[in-house]
Amino acid sequence: MVRMLASGLWETIFMTLAAGFFSFLLGLPLGVALFMTRPGEVLENRWVNRLVGVVVNIFRSIPFIILIVWMIPFTRMVVGTSIGVGAALVPLSIGAAPFVGRIVENSLLDVPHGLIEAARAMGATPLQIVRKVLLPEALPSLINGASITLIALVGYSAMGGAVGAGGLGQIGYQYGYVGYDMVVMNTVLVLLIGLVFLIQWLGQLISRKVDHRK
Amino acid sequence: MIELKNVSKTYHKKGTAVAALSELSLSVSKGEIYGIIGSSGAGKSTLIRCINLLERPTTGQVIVNGQDLGQLSPRQLVLARRNIGMIFQHFNLLSSRTVYENVAFPLELSNTPKIEIDQRVRQLLNWVGLGEKINDYPVSLSGGQKQRVAIARTLASNPAVLLCDEATSALDPETTLSILSLLKDINKQLGITIVLITHEMNVVRYICDRVAVIAHGRLIEEGLVKDVFSSPSSAVTKNLITSSLYYENV
Ligand SMILES: Nc1ncnc2c1ncn2[C@@H]1O[C@H](COP(=O)(O)OP(=O)(O)OP(=O)(O)O)[C@@H](O)[C@H]1O
Ligand SMILES: [Mg+2]
């Protein structure tokens, strides 16, 4: 029992971190593109901005549980199976990427515009502005965004558990909903809550550490 | 050194057009300190931002150091800007970088070797009197110190021109004076041409060789500071001077 819970916890942590990593891999460029093509920004481009915005909004409006099912053919193509931890990573990452995109865009919007101006005046290329001004200046806020994303992913991955993704979600579902075992269900709940608090605490700690604004 | 030819800039905001600059021409010679004054909304910031093409003129030409900036490719413009320094009212230092790293920033942009960066940064920071603060973050500096870092940063790439948009407006009178004398030194010792915008007549009196008066996006008058201040030819200039005197007597 303990071993099962431990491996469930590990699976959930792994899914959350791995999906977090892949969703940032996809979402960071999306967010940067959303920001840089806004009216008045360095790479202002109304059509690209709208196109990316629409795609992001479409993916954000699909409920996660439906996204999992809808993506099954694609998931099979990528990882060769549609059940298990590996298979859950595909819809988790793709489901969270547009969310990350918006979070990144918002973090970049908080960077004082004067800094971009100054960098342009010093002869920074758009890529240099992103790498040397926007991302470092937005780092505290990006880290907070990452912890929000990871916490959302804990929830998503638990939902995935209901359709065979493994992890604490699946244990909670099997022992709670299918066979009613109070102790296991509550333990799962406590573990999930602990995980969320841990992410939040770590996120704040790191964010404060890299923040040199006050 | 700097030449604006018939520069106009029109902003479009929600269907209405605002003419921030209309058919404005002026020229600044090498090595001089050129002041631009005018009341709020006259177009001063728009004008100075046209000089490094942060703002693209709607029509007209901007020629700096013999280059017509409007004709340059994006890549060439980036390179041209490394030759035009700029400092701002609110300093615009990167909060995520130390004083040292801020000054190194423009050198990183041009891929300068690390050893060279190190030499240049230390030399500049000593020169502006901040050798001690090298590893501090901007948040812990006073306004005057921040502006010194900004000046060191913009000098790092050896610009031929320095643009100052209300560079002393956020500072107290004493600090203003120290920054102005630093700018004077920069002009005298490094031969850098300076264009500065201000709403403080004293700044112009203290530091500028020539001054231009701007109202409603047009050049009203221009000349040597002593001539313009002793015998202003336009009502706009007279107003600016009297209101500054009034302000100083309060
Ligand atoms: N980005 C913009 N979009 C629309 N209108 C603008 C923009 N920037 C400036 N303007 C308008 O252009 C005119 C000139 O503005 P500018 O900022 O150049 O004035 P200024 O002389 O620098 O004033 P201040 O002394 O208050 O800084 C103003 O009417 C202003 O409202
Ligand atoms: Mg202004």
Side-chain angles (χ1 to χ4, degrees), chain B residues 7-35:
Chain B
V7 168
S8 298
K9 175 74 193 184
T10 311
Y11 289 110
H12 295 277
K13 223 173 194 177
K14 290 174 189 140
T16 58
V18 183
L21 296 176
S22 0
E23 295 288 316
L24 194 143
S25 301
L26 57 80
S27 72
V28 179
S29 358
K30 190 169 167 48
E32 78 176 326
I33 303 185
Y34 190 93

Side-chain angles (χ1 to χ4, degrees), chain A residues 117 120 123 128 132 137, chain B residues 49 81-82 95-96 108-109:
Chain A
E117 297 262 277
R120 285 175 65 210
Q128 286 174 327
K132 289 180 178 286
E137 288 293 314
Chain B
R49 290 159 53 80
R81 279 181 179 149
R82 292 182 185 162
S95 71
S96 57
E108 286 174 24
L109 296 182

Side-chain angles (χ1 to χ4, degrees), chain B residues 11-13 18-20 38-47 55 165-166 197 199:
Chain B
Y11 289 110
H12 295 277
K13 223 173 194 177
V18 183
S39 52
S40 184
K44 305 181 297 291
S45 295
T46 308
L47 172 62
E55 215 69 75
D165 188 353
E166 303 269 12
I197 288 183
H199 62 263

